[in-house]
Amino acid sequence: MSIDPARELRAQAPVGVFDSGVGGLTVLRALAAALPHEDFIYLGDTARLPYGTKSPESIRRYALQAAALLRERGVKCLVVACNTASAVALDDLAREFAPVPVLGVVEPGAAAACAATHSGRIAVVATESTVRGGAYQQAIWRRRPDAVVATRACPLFVALAEEGWTEGEVVEAVVHRYLDELFAVPAGTRPDTLVLGCTHFPVLSPAIRNVLGAGVAIVDSAETTAAALVGVLDRAGLRRGGAGGAGRIRLLATDSAERFARVGGTFLGRPLDAADVEVVDL
Ligand code: DGL
């Protein structure tokens, strides 16, 4: 295969990852594990979180502004780690960013659900805006037209995760309050798979598991998005080789670096230092 110097140079550029806040660090963690030689720039629009309760127009505007900043930083590819922005604004972002590849988390999440379900009964929990738009149902039905999909907005899960309350009595009471209507149903109608369709929800996974018991597969989009990103970079010839050593992660936020570092550590799975977070304005 002949070597294209421009493409070789482009492959050295970072991957851009964007979320409404720190929750997308759960996705970044999976991306960095799958692609340890890539550099990543992560932007959390913490000043405007939550997106999940906003109108589609606002979500689109915010997402396009965030993506524009990452484009200015020269990213070779954009991962929209926010489920709400993926559900509402992915087409706009792809159009605006072309020919730079744009990858969302809804399609990979739907793929993970369809791979996990046996009965075809799937529950999806997400933010209000993600549920309202129906993007998960459509992505699931494209793969499995006979699937029965139940959805539920769980806005308090975002607040609990941001507060670092990921387990215990209070958390499980909230899980019951949201999930009983989906799962405390006659055995033949009970979903066998739950999709965590929001960046914040994976950190609540152990509490959700305690409430649901062992019979339900709990899936999120982090791993499948990482696998999809590997595919996108390989197909575009943009994967960075190992010669450059381990990749670096650069963190940007639109509000307090201290809060980003304090809360973000829970999501990334390692402590963060505020000095490593650059505050930007969109
Ligand atoms: N990042 C959002 C999502 O995945 C959750 C937080 C928010 O509402 O902004 O849907």
Side-chain angles (χ1 to χ4, degrees), residues 157-193:
F157 282 0
V158 174
L160 287 172
E162 287 270 325
E163 196 58 33
W165 289 19
T166 56
E167 56 194 351
E169 237 175 86
V170 173
V171 179
E172 290 187 19
V174 177
V175 173
H176 268 295
R177 183 69 188 257
Y178 282 137
L179 298 192
D180 280 358
E181 74 178 49
L182 301 174
F183 288 92
V185 294
T189 61
R190 197 171 192 244
D192 70 350
T193 301

PDB file of all heavy atoms in Angstrom, residues 157-193:
ATOM      1  N   PHE A 157     -31.327  10.554  37.997  1.00  0.00           N
ATOM      2  CA  PHE A 157     -30.087   9.763  37.939  1.00  0.00           C
ATOM      3  C   PHE A 157     -28.893  10.673  37.631  1.00  0.00           C
ATOM      4  O   PHE A 157     -27.787  10.448  38.112  1.00  0.00           O
ATOM      5  CB  PHE A 157     -30.165   8.692  36.843  1.00  0.00           C
ATOM      6  CG  PHE A 157     -30.977   7.466  37.182  1.00  0.00           C
ATOM      7  CD1 PHE A 157     -31.602   7.315  38.408  1.00  0.00           C
ATOM      8  CD2 PHE A 157     -31.109   6.439  36.254  1.00  0.00           C
ATOM      9  CE1 PHE A 157     -32.344   6.179  38.710  1.00  0.00           C
ATOM     10  CE2 PHE A 157     -31.839   5.297  36.535  1.00  0.00           C
ATOM     11  CZ  PHE A 157     -32.466   5.168  37.767  1.00  0.00           C
ATOM     12  N   VAL A 158     -29.118  11.685  36.784  1.00  0.00           N
ATOM     13  CA  VAL A 158     -28.029  12.602  36.426  1.00  0.00           C
ATOM     14  C   VAL A 158     -27.567  13.346  37.677  1.00  0.00           C
ATOM     15  O   VAL A 158     -26.377  13.433  37.984  1.00  0.00           O
ATOM     16  CB  VAL A 158     -28.474  13.611  35.329  1.00  0.00           C
ATOM     17  CG1 VAL A 158     -27.389  14.655  35.070  1.00  0.00           C
ATOM     18  CG2 VAL A 158     -28.823  12.874  34.041  1.00  0.00           C
ATOM     19  N   ALA A 159     -28.545  13.860  38.453  1.00  0.00           N
ATOM     20  CA  ALA A 159     -28.210  14.614  39.661  1.00  0.00           C
ATOM     21  C   ALA A 159     -27.488  13.728  40.678  1.00  0.00           C
ATOM     22  O   ALA A 159     -26.501  14.142  41.293  1.00  0.00           O
ATOM     23  CB  ALA A 159     -29.485  15.196  40.261  1.00  0.00           C
ATOM     24  N   LEU A 160     -27.960  12.493  40.854  1.00  0.00           N
ATOM     25  CA  LEU A 160     -27.323  11.585  41.814  1.00  0.00           C
ATOM     26  C   LEU A 160     -25.863  11.318  41.416  1.00  0.00           C
ATOM     27  O   LEU A 160     -24.956  11.375  42.249  1.00  0.00           O
ATOM     28  CB  LEU A 160     -28.069  10.244  41.855  1.00  0.00           C
ATOM     29  CG  LEU A 160     -29.436  10.239  42.550  1.00  0.00           C
ATOM     30  CD1 LEU A 160     -30.129   8.899  42.327  1.00  0.00           C
ATOM     31  CD2 LEU A 160     -29.296  10.520  44.038  1.00  0.00           C
ATOM     32  N   ALA A 161     -25.664  11.042  40.133  1.00  0.00           N
ATOM     33  CA  ALA A 161     -24.304  10.728  39.664  1.00  0.00           C
ATOM     34  C   ALA A 161     -23.387  11.933  39.822  1.00  0.00           C
ATOM     35  O   ALA A 161     -22.233  11.811  40.252  1.00  0.00           O
ATOM     36  CB  ALA A 161     -24.349  10.266  38.209  1.00  0.00           C
ATOM     37  N   GLU A 162     -23.897  13.126  39.494  1.00  0.00           N
ATOM     38  CA  GLU A 162     -23.096  14.353  39.641  1.00  0.00           C
ATOM     39  C   GLU A 162     -22.721  14.594  41.111  1.00  0.00           C
ATOM     40  O   GLU A 162     -21.672  15.147  41.414  1.00  0.00           O
ATOM     41  CB  GLU A 162     -23.909  15.558  39.156  1.00  0.00           C
ATOM     42  CG  GLU A 162     -24.058  15.631  37.667  1.00  0.00           C
ATOM     43  CD  GLU A 162     -22.939  16.422  37.010  1.00  0.00           C
ATOM     44  OE1 GLU A 162     -22.464  17.392  37.596  1.00  0.00           O
ATOM     45  OE2 GLU A 162     -22.537  16.029  35.903  1.00  0.00           O
ATOM     46  N   GLU A 163     -23.605  14.182  42.003  1.00  0.00           N
ATOM     47  CA  GLU A 163     -23.394  14.386  43.424  1.00  0.00           C
ATOM     48  C   GLU A 163     -22.461  13.306  43.995  1.00  0.00           C
ATOM     49  O   GLU A 163     -22.041  13.381  45.147  1.00  0.00           O
ATOM     50  CB  GLU A 163     -24.772  14.332  44.104  1.00  0.00           C
ATOM     51  CG  GLU A 163     -24.863  14.881  45.492  1.00  0.00           C
ATOM     52  CD  GLU A 163     -24.442  16.335  45.618  1.00  0.00           C
ATOM     53  OE1 GLU A 163     -24.646  17.105  44.688  1.00  0.00           O
ATOM     54  OE2 GLU A 163     -23.875  16.678  46.670  1.00  0.00           O
ATOM     55  N   GLY A 164     -22.149  12.309  43.196  1.00  0.00           N
ATOM     56  CA  GLY A 164     -21.299  11.212  43.670  1.00  0.00           C
ATOM     57  C   GLY A 164     -22.075  10.193  44.492  1.00  0.00           C
ATOM     58  O   GLY A 164     -21.494   9.325  45.142  1.00  0.00           O
ATOM     59  N   TRP A 165     -23.399  10.288  44.483  1.00  0.00           N
ATOM     60  CA  TRP A 165     -24.226   9.303  45.188  1.00  0.00           C
ATOM     61  C   TRP A 165     -24.507   8.154  44.218  1.00  0.00           C
ATOM     62  O   TRP A 165     -25.440   8.220  43.422  1.00  0.00           O
ATOM     63  CB  TRP A 165     -25.557   9.909  45.621  1.00  0.00           C
ATOM     64  CG  TRP A 165     -25.459  10.903  46.723  1.00  0.00           C
ATOM     65  CD1 TRP A 165     -24.337  11.576  47.124  1.00  0.00           C
ATOM     66  CD2 TRP A 165     -26.514  11.352  47.570  1.00  0.00           C
ATOM     67  NE1 TRP A 165     -24.645  12.423  48.160  1.00  0.00           N
ATOM     68  CE2 TRP A 165     -25.975  12.308  48.460  1.00  0.00           C
ATOM     69  CE3 TRP A 165     -27.874  11.057  47.662  1.00  0.00           C
ATOM     70  CZ2 TRP A 165     -26.738  12.954  49.418  1.00  0.00           C
ATOM     71  CZ3 TRP A 165     -28.628  11.705  48.614  1.00  0.00           C
ATOM     72  CH2 TRP A 165     -28.069  12.629  49.490  1.00  0.00           C
ATOM     73  N   THR A 166     -23.702   7.141  44.290  1.00  0.00           N
ATOM     74  CA  THR A 166     -23.847   6.074  43.301  1.00  0.00           C
ATOM     75  C   THR A 166     -24.374   4.778  43.902  1.00  0.00           C
ATOM     76  O   THR A 166     -24.652   3.831  43.184  1.00  0.00           O
ATOM     77  CB  THR A 166     -22.496   5.802  42.601  1.00  0.00           C
ATOM     78  OG1 THR A 166     -21.532   5.491  43.606  1.00  0.00           O
ATOM     79  CG2 THR A 166     -22.032   7.013  41.814  1.00  0.00           C
ATOM     80  N   GLU A 167     -24.468   4.715  45.220  1.00  0.00           N
ATOM     81  CA  GLU A 167     -25.012   3.488  45.826  1.00  0.00           C
ATOM     82  C   GLU A 167     -25.703   3.822  47.139  1.00  0.00           C
ATOM     83  O   GLU A 167     -25.621   4.949  47.625  1.00  0.00           O
ATOM     84  CB  GLU A 167     -23.903   2.460  46.049  1.00  0.00           C
ATOM     85  CG  GLU A 167     -22.776   2.985  46.883  1.00  0.00           C
ATOM     86  CD  GLU A 167     -21.538   2.105  46.811  1.00  0.00           C
ATOM     87  OE1 GLU A 167     -21.598   1.011  46.256  1.00  0.00           O
ATOM     88  OE2 GLU A 167     -20.517   2.550  47.332  1.00  0.00           O
ATOM     89  N   GLY A 168     -26.361   2.819  47.710  1.00  0.00           N
ATOM     90  CA  GLY A 168     -27.019   3.012  49.005  1.00  0.00           C
ATOM     91  C   GLY A 168     -28.525   3.117  48.870  1.00  0.00           C
ATOM     92  O   GLY A 168     -29.085   3.076  47.771  1.00  0.00           O
ATOM     93  N   GLU A 169     -29.145   3.275  50.043  1.00  0.00           N
ATOM     94  CA  GLU A 169     -30.605   3.234  50.160  1.00  0.00           C
ATOM     95  C   GLU A 169     -31.327   4.275  49.296  1.00  0.00           C
ATOM     96  O   GLU A 169     -32.302   3.964  48.623  1.00  0.00           O
ATOM     97  CB  GLU A 169     -30.942   3.542  51.611  1.00  0.00           C
ATOM     98  CG  GLU A 169     -31.745   2.488  52.320  1.00  0.00           C
ATOM     99  CD  GLU A 169     -31.881   2.891  53.775  1.00  0.00           C
ATOM    100  OE1 GLU A 169     -32.817   3.642  54.071  1.00  0.00           O
ATOM    101  OE2 GLU A 169     -31.019   2.479  54.578  1.00  0.00           O
ATOM    102  N   VAL A 170     -30.813   5.513  49.366  1.00  0.00           N
ATOM    103  CA  VAL A 170     -31.493   6.594  48.650  1.00  0.00           C
ATOM    104  C   VAL A 170     -31.444   6.325  47.140  1.00  0.00           C
ATOM    105  O   VAL A 170     -32.443   6.444  46.427  1.00  0.00           O
ATOM    106  CB  VAL A 170     -30.828   7.954  48.980  1.00  0.00           C
ATOM    107  CG1 VAL A 170     -31.406   9.066  48.128  1.00  0.00           C
ATOM    108  CG2 VAL A 170     -30.981   8.260  50.454  1.00  0.00           C
ATOM    109  N   VAL A 171     -30.274   5.932  46.674  1.00  0.00           N
ATOM    110  CA  VAL A 171     -30.106   5.678  45.236  1.00  0.00           C
ATOM    111  C   VAL A 171     -31.029   4.530  44.809  1.00  0.00           C
ATOM    112  O   VAL A 171     -31.744   4.628  43.795  1.00  0.00           O
ATOM    113  CB  VAL A 171     -28.629   5.338  44.906  1.00  0.00           C
ATOM    114  CG1 VAL A 171     -28.469   5.053  43.417  1.00  0.00           C
ATOM    115  CG2 VAL A 171     -27.721   6.474  45.331  1.00  0.00           C
ATOM    116  N   GLU A 172     -31.068   3.479  45.598  1.00  0.00           N
ATOM    117  CA  GLU A 172     -31.908   2.331  45.203  1.00  0.00           C
ATOM    118  C   GLU A 172     -33.390   2.674  45.257  1.00  0.00           C
ATOM    119  O   GLU A 172     -34.181   2.167  44.463  1.00  0.00           O
ATOM    120  CB  GLU A 172     -31.553   1.101  46.059  1.00  0.00           C
ATOM    121  CG  GLU A 172     -30.164   0.597  45.673  1.00  0.00           C
ATOM    122  CD  GLU A 172     -29.760  -0.709  46.333  1.00  0.00           C
ATOM    123  OE1 GLU A 172     -30.649  -1.438  46.811  1.00  0.00           O
ATOM    124  OE2 GLU A 172     -28.546  -0.983  46.358  1.00  0.00           O
ATOM    125  N   ALA A 173     -33.766   3.568  46.191  1.00  0.00           N
ATOM    126  CA  ALA A 173     -35.173   4.003  46.240  1.00  0.00           C
ATOM    127  C   ALA A 173     -35.537   4.743  44.944  1.00  0.00           C
ATOM    128  O   ALA A 173     -36.613   4.541  44.378  1.00  0.00           O
ATOM    129  CB  ALA A 173     -35.395   4.904  47.449  1.00  0.00           C
ATOM    130  N   VAL A 174     -34.604   5.583  44.464  1.00  0.00           N
ATOM    131  CA  VAL A 174     -34.872   6.317  43.218  1.00  0.00           C
ATOM    132  C   VAL A 174     -34.911   5.334  42.033  1.00  0.00           C
ATOM    133  O   VAL A 174     -35.771   5.432  41.150  1.00  0.00           O
ATOM    134  CB  VAL A 174     -33.804   7.420  42.982  1.00  0.00           C
ATOM    135  CG1 VAL A 174     -34.047   8.130  41.659  1.00  0.00           C
ATOM    136  CG2 VAL A 174     -33.814   8.426  44.123  1.00  0.00           C
ATOM    137  N   VAL A 175     -34.008   4.356  42.058  1.00  0.00           N
ATOM    138  CA  VAL A 175     -34.003   3.348  40.984  1.00  0.00           C
ATOM    139  C   VAL A 175     -35.352   2.625  40.960  1.00  0.00           C
ATOM    140  O   VAL A 175     -35.961   2.449  39.895  1.00  0.00           O
ATOM    141  CB  VAL A 175     -32.832   2.345  41.162  1.00  0.00           C
ATOM    142  CG1 VAL A 175     -32.938   1.208  40.154  1.00  0.00           C
ATOM    143  CG2 VAL A 175     -31.487   3.052  41.020  1.00  0.00           C
ATOM    144  N   HIS A 176     -35.847   2.237  42.132  1.00  0.00           N
ATOM    145  CA  HIS A 176     -37.154   1.575  42.202  1.00  0.00           C
ATOM    146  C   HIS A 176     -38.238   2.469  41.623  1.00  0.00           C
ATOM    147  O   HIS A 176     -39.067   2.026  40.834  1.00  0.00           O
ATOM    148  CB  HIS A 176     -37.523   1.271  43.668  1.00  0.00           C
ATOM    149  CG  HIS A 176     -37.089  -0.094  44.094  1.00  0.00           C
ATOM    150  ND1 HIS A 176     -37.624  -1.237  43.540  1.00  0.00           N
ATOM    151  CD2 HIS A 176     -36.189  -0.495  45.030  1.00  0.00           C
ATOM    152  CE1 HIS A 176     -37.056  -2.292  44.110  1.00  0.00           C
ATOM    153  NE2 HIS A 176     -36.182  -1.875  45.009  1.00  0.00           N
ATOM    154  N   ARG A 177     -38.206   3.722  42.028  1.00  0.00           N
ATOM    155  CA  ARG A 177     -39.255   4.659  41.623  1.00  0.00           C
ATOM    156  C   ARG A 177     -39.331   4.747  40.088  1.00  0.00           C
ATOM    157  O   ARG A 177     -40.395   4.790  39.501  1.00  0.00           O
ATOM    158  CB  ARG A 177     -38.947   6.015  42.259  1.00  0.00           C
ATOM    159  CG  ARG A 177     -39.941   7.092  42.026  1.00  0.00           C
ATOM    160  CD  ARG A 177     -41.244   6.799  42.777  1.00  0.00           C
ATOM    161  NE  ARG A 177     -42.251   7.753  42.400  1.00  0.00           N
ATOM    162  CZ  ARG A 177     -42.629   8.795  43.147  1.00  0.00           C
ATOM    163  NH1 ARG A 177     -42.119   8.958  44.345  1.00  0.00           N
ATOM    164  NH2 ARG A 177     -43.535   9.631  42.706  1.00  0.00           N
ATOM    165  N   TYR A 178     -38.157   4.781  39.443  1.00  0.00           N
ATOM    166  CA  TYR A 178     -38.143   4.902  37.980  1.00  0.00           C
ATOM    167  C   TYR A 178     -38.366   3.553  37.279  1.00  0.00           C
ATOM    168  O   TYR A 178     -39.051   3.472  36.265  1.00  0.00           O
ATOM    169  CB  TYR A 178     -36.798   5.459  37.503  1.00  0.00           C
ATOM    170  CG  TYR A 178     -36.612   6.949  37.672  1.00  0.00           C
ATOM    171  CD1 TYR A 178     -35.399   7.452  38.146  1.00  0.00           C
ATOM    172  CD2 TYR A 178     -37.606   7.854  37.322  1.00  0.00           C
ATOM    173  CE1 TYR A 178     -35.197   8.821  38.279  1.00  0.00           C
ATOM    174  CE2 TYR A 178     -37.402   9.225  37.460  1.00  0.00           C
ATOM    175  CZ  TYR A 178     -36.206   9.699  37.935  1.00  0.00           C
ATOM    176  OH  TYR A 178     -35.993  11.053  38.061  1.00  0.00           O
ATOM    177  N   LEU A 179     -37.740   2.513  37.813  1.00  0.00           N
ATOM    178  CA  LEU A 179     -37.695   1.273  37.018  1.00  0.00           C
ATOM    179  C   LEU A 179     -38.814   0.278  37.314  1.00  0.00           C
ATOM    180  O   LEU A 179     -39.059  -0.617  36.497  1.00  0.00           O
ATOM    181  CB  LEU A 179     -36.335   0.571  37.172  1.00  0.00           C
ATOM    182  CG  LEU A 179     -35.120   1.363  36.681  1.00  0.00           C
ATOM    183  CD1 LEU A 179     -33.895   0.461  36.607  1.00  0.00           C
ATOM    184  CD2 LEU A 179     -35.376   1.990  35.314  1.00  0.00           C
ATOM    185  N   ASP A 180     -39.502   0.453  38.446  1.00  0.00           N
ATOM    186  CA  ASP A 180     -40.547  -0.531  38.764  1.00  0.00           C
ATOM    187  C   ASP A 180     -41.624  -0.596  37.680  1.00  0.00           C
ATOM    188  O   ASP A 180     -42.105  -1.670  37.349  1.00  0.00           O
ATOM    189  CB  ASP A 180     -41.192  -0.230  40.127  1.00  0.00           C
ATOM    190  CG  ASP A 180     -40.317  -0.735  41.271  1.00  0.00           C
ATOM    191  OD1 ASP A 180     -39.258  -1.338  40.972  1.00  0.00           O
ATOM    192  OD2 ASP A 180     -40.673  -0.507  42.446  1.00  0.00           O
ATOM    193  N   GLU A 181     -41.955   0.562  37.114  1.00  0.00           N
ATOM    194  CA  GLU A 181     -43.017   0.517  36.090  1.00  0.00           C
ATOM    195  C   GLU A 181     -42.567  -0.260  34.845  1.00  0.00           C
ATOM    196  O   GLU A 181     -43.395  -0.757  34.083  1.00  0.00           O
ATOM    197  CB  GLU A 181     -43.494   1.918  35.718  1.00  0.00           C
ATOM    198  CG  GLU A 181     -42.516   2.696  34.863  1.00  0.00           C
ATOM    199  CD  GLU A 181     -43.047   4.073  34.484  1.00  0.00           C
ATOM    200  OE1 GLU A 181     -43.514   4.775  35.386  1.00  0.00           O
ATOM    201  OE2 GLU A 181     -42.967   4.417  33.289  1.00  0.00           O
ATOM    202  N   LEU A 182     -41.263  -0.357  34.642  1.00  0.00           N
ATOM    203  CA  LEU A 182     -40.758  -1.115  33.489  1.00  0.00           C
ATOM    204  C   LEU A 182     -40.535  -2.591  33.823  1.00  0.00           C
ATOM    205  O   LEU A 182     -40.717  -3.468  32.975  1.00  0.00           O
ATOM    206  CB  LEU A 182     -39.421  -0.530  33.001  1.00  0.00           C
ATOM    207  CG  LEU A 182     -39.396   0.931  32.550  1.00  0.00           C
ATOM    208  CD1 LEU A 182     -37.972   1.359  32.242  1.00  0.00           C
ATOM    209  CD2 LEU A 182     -40.267   1.113  31.309  1.00  0.00           C
ATOM    210  N   PHE A 183     -40.110  -2.844  35.092  1.00  0.00           N
ATOM    211  CA  PHE A 183     -39.664  -4.200  35.421  1.00  0.00           C
ATOM    212  C   PHE A 183     -40.554  -4.945  36.417  1.00  0.00           C
ATOM    213  O   PHE A 183     -40.517  -6.170  36.454  1.00  0.00           O
ATOM    214  CB  PHE A 183     -38.221  -4.163  35.942  1.00  0.00           C
ATOM    215  CG  PHE A 183     -37.233  -3.867  34.855  1.00  0.00           C
ATOM    216  CD1 PHE A 183     -36.832  -2.566  34.585  1.00  0.00           C
ATOM    217  CD2 PHE A 183     -36.728  -4.888  34.062  1.00  0.00           C
ATOM    218  CE1 PHE A 183     -35.944  -2.284  33.558  1.00  0.00           C
ATOM    219  CE2 PHE A 183     -35.835  -4.619  33.037  1.00  0.00           C
ATOM    220  CZ  PHE A 183     -35.438  -3.317  32.784  1.00  0.00           C
ATOM    221  N   ALA A 184     -41.343  -4.215  37.250  1.00  0.00           N
ATOM    222  CA  ALA A 184     -42.230  -4.914  38.185  1.00  0.00           C
ATOM    223  C   ALA A 184     -43.536  -5.208  37.447  1.00  0.00           C
ATOM    224  O   ALA A 184     -44.600  -4.663  37.737  1.00  0.00           O
ATOM    225  CB  ALA A 184     -42.471  -4.055  39.424  1.00  0.00           C
ATOM    226  N   VAL A 185     -43.424  -6.048  36.427  1.00  0.00           N
ATOM    227  CA  VAL A 185     -44.540  -6.361  35.522  1.00  0.00           C
ATOM    228  C   VAL A 185     -44.607  -7.885  35.398  1.00  0.00           C
ATOM    229  O   VAL A 185     -43.659  -8.579  35.799  1.00  0.00           O
ATOM    230  CB  VAL A 185     -44.307  -5.715  34.130  1.00  0.00           C
ATOM    231  CG1 VAL A 185     -44.335  -4.205  34.222  1.00  0.00           C
ATOM    232  CG2 VAL A 185     -42.991  -6.187  33.516  1.00  0.00           C
ATOM    233  N   PRO A 186     -45.716  -8.442  34.878  1.00  0.00           N
ATOM    234  CA  PRO A 186     -45.790  -9.905  34.741  1.00  0.00           C
ATOM    235  C   PRO A 186     -44.579 -10.470  33.992  1.00  0.00           C
ATOM    236  O   PRO A 186     -44.070  -9.842  33.040  1.00  0.00           O
ATOM    237  CB  PRO A 186     -47.076 -10.108  33.941  1.00  0.00           C
ATOM    238  CG  PRO A 186     -47.897  -8.882  34.221  1.00  0.00           C
ATOM    239  CD  PRO A 186     -46.925  -7.761  34.434  1.00  0.00           C
ATOM    240  N   ALA A 187     -44.142 -11.657  34.451  1.00  0.00           N
ATOM    241  CA  ALA A 187     -42.881 -12.238  33.955  1.00  0.00           C
ATOM    242  C   ALA A 187     -42.782 -12.252  32.422  1.00  0.00           C
ATOM    243  O   ALA A 187     -41.746 -11.909  31.861  1.00  0.00           O
ATOM    244  CB  ALA A 187     -42.725 -13.639  34.522  1.00  0.00           C
ATOM    245  N   GLY A 188     -43.849 -12.598  31.730  1.00  0.00           N
ATOM    246  CA  GLY A 188     -43.786 -12.716  30.272  1.00  0.00           C
ATOM    247  C   GLY A 188     -43.602 -11.386  29.555  1.00  0.00           C
ATOM    248  O   GLY A 188     -43.279 -11.357  28.359  1.00  0.00           O
ATOM    249  N   THR A 189     -43.805 -10.282  30.253  1.00  0.00           N
ATOM    250  CA  THR A 189     -43.683  -8.967  29.588  1.00  0.00           C
ATOM    251  C   THR A 189     -42.461  -8.192  30.082  1.00  0.00           C
ATOM    252  O   THR A 189     -42.216  -7.066  29.676  1.00  0.00           O
ATOM    253  CB  THR A 189     -44.942  -8.097  29.852  1.00  0.00           C
ATOM    254  OG1 THR A 189     -45.047  -7.881  31.260  1.00  0.00           O
ATOM    255  CG2 THR A 189     -46.205  -8.764  29.356  1.00  0.00           C
ATOM    256  N   ARG A 190     -41.678  -8.805  30.951  1.00  0.00           N
ATOM    257  CA  ARG A 190     -40.528  -8.122  31.556  1.00  0.00           C
ATOM    258  C   ARG A 190     -39.373  -8.013  30.542  1.00  0.00           C
ATOM    259  O   ARG A 190     -38.993  -9.018  29.922  1.00  0.00           O
ATOM    260  CB  ARG A 190     -40.079  -8.954  32.762  1.00  0.00           C
ATOM    261  CG  ARG A 190     -39.203  -8.204  33.716  1.00  0.00           C
ATOM    262  CD  ARG A 190     -38.994  -9.023  34.986  1.00  0.00           C
ATOM    263  NE  ARG A 190     -38.394  -8.191  35.999  1.00  0.00           N
ATOM    264  CZ  ARG A 190     -37.183  -8.391  36.518  1.00  0.00           C
ATOM    265  NH1 ARG A 190     -36.461  -9.441  36.169  1.00  0.00           N
ATOM    266  NH2 ARG A 190     -36.692  -7.560  37.414  1.00  0.00           N
ATOM    267  N   PRO A 191     -38.783  -6.832  30.393  1.00  0.00           N
ATOM    268  CA  PRO A 191     -37.618  -6.730  29.500  1.00  0.00           C
ATOM    269  C   PRO A 191     -36.467  -7.602  30.018  1.00  0.00           C
ATOM    270  O   PRO A 191     -36.317  -7.760  31.235  1.00  0.00           O
ATOM    271  CB  PRO A 191     -37.230  -5.248  29.581  1.00  0.00           C
ATOM    272  CG  PRO A 191     -38.451  -4.538  30.068  1.00  0.00           C
ATOM    273  CD  PRO A 191     -39.158  -5.512  30.955  1.00  0.00           C
ATOM    274  N   ASP A 192     -35.661  -8.146  29.107  1.00  0.00           N
ATOM    275  CA  ASP A 192     -34.490  -8.908  29.563  1.00  0.00           C
ATOM    276  C   ASP A 192     -33.212  -8.072  29.425  1.00  0.00           C
ATOM    277  O   ASP A 192     -32.124  -8.527  29.756  1.00  0.00           O
ATOM    278  CB  ASP A 192     -34.365 -10.250  28.812  1.00  0.00           C
ATOM    279  CG  ASP A 192     -33.978 -10.079  27.346  1.00  0.00           C
ATOM    280  OD1 ASP A 192     -33.987  -8.940  26.828  1.00  0.00           O
ATOM    281  OD2 ASP A 192     -33.663 -11.106  26.710  1.00  0.00           O
ATOM    282  N   THR A 193     -33.369  -6.840  28.906  1.00  0.00           N
ATOM    283  CA  THR A 193     -32.198  -5.987  28.666  1.00  0.00           C
ATOM    284  C   THR A 193     -32.544  -4.539  29.015  1.00  0.00           C
ATOM    285  O   THR A 193     -33.623  -4.068  28.664  1.00  0.00           O
ATOM    286  CB  THR A 193     -31.787  -6.073  27.166  1.00  0.00           C
ATOM    287  OG1 THR A 193     -31.499  -7.440  26.865  1.00  0.00           O
ATOM    288  CG2 THR A 193     -30.576  -5.225  26.851  1.00  0.00           C
TER     289      THR A 193
END
